[in-house]
Amino acid sequence: MVNRLTTPKEDRDGDTLQTGGANLDPKSPLLWQHVHTLLIGKMCRIVEHTPVLLKVATVLLDINELTSDAGKLFEAGALRFSHGFIAKEFEERKDGQSSSGGVPRFNITRFDIVEESAVSVPSNTDAEVELF
């Protein structure tokens, strides 16, 4: 699969991740819904990494029944991508607070991506599967 893993679009928490500052290991695991014990695949390579887009190629591994089910859900267009990351450099956004209860919002300028996940609802709505 080729997917848009992240963009600088504001996510549902009101945060922005500056895509150019993403540090990514192209051998990152693909997890089911961010659960570290439910491996379903792995990242193969970075396809494109610009200030506005991080696109990667990912493969499902036939290692359990969940992987088969995930493949069917991807094929049906029911899954998208998300990623887990560690923020390395960030600042609080000065343009107010998020609409979800006054929680501070952040602009994250440098971050390490530690995993990607197959999810039903991603935080970044630009995280689309482009090719299955």
Side-chain angles (χ1 to χ4, degrees):
M1 291 173 281
V2 175
N3 66 83
R4 287 179 275 159
L5 189 59
T6 194
T7 69
K9 181 176 183 177
E10 182 178 293
D11 67 21
R12 67 178 172 197
D13 296 317
D15 299 327
T16 54
L17 280 76
Q18 299 307 312
T19 306
N23 179 34
L24 174 65
D25 178 357
K27 295 180 183 174
S28 295
L30 173 63
L31 304 177
W32 176 255
Q33 306 284 347
H34 298 290
V35 179
H36 72 279
T37 56
L38 293 177
L39 178 70
I40 60 171
K42 71 175 205 123
M43 189 179 309
C44 294
R45 67 182 179 92
I46 298 168
V47 174
E48 184 177 348
H49 189 186
T50 70
V52 296
L53 177 65
L54 176 56
K55 189 185 300 188
V56 298
T58 303
V59 63
L60 292 173
L61 300 173
D62 189 16
I63 55 177
N64 54 41
E65 287 184 31
L66 179 56
T67 303
S68 176
D69 291 342
K72 292 172 189 169
L73 289 166
F74 273 119
E75 196 169 42
L79 289 178
R80 294 167 78 181
F81 280 89
S82 185
H83 61 81
F85 66 93
I86 299 169
K88 297 293 189 174
E89 293 178 7
F90 58 92
E91 60 192 14
E92 189 169 346
R93 291 178 61 186
K94 307 231 185 307
D95 55 351
Q97 296 187 346
S98 73
S99 58
S100 59
V103 177
R105 303 181 317 163
F106 294 93
N107 179 38
I108 301 162
T109 55
R110 197 169 65 82
F111 56 101
D112 292 342
I113 296 177
V114 295
E115 54 91 1
E116 65 175 326
S117 284
V119 297
S120 47
V121 181
S123 187
N124 181 325
T125 57
D126 281 346
E128 294 278 348
V129 176
E130 290 187 353
L131 176 66
F132 181 75

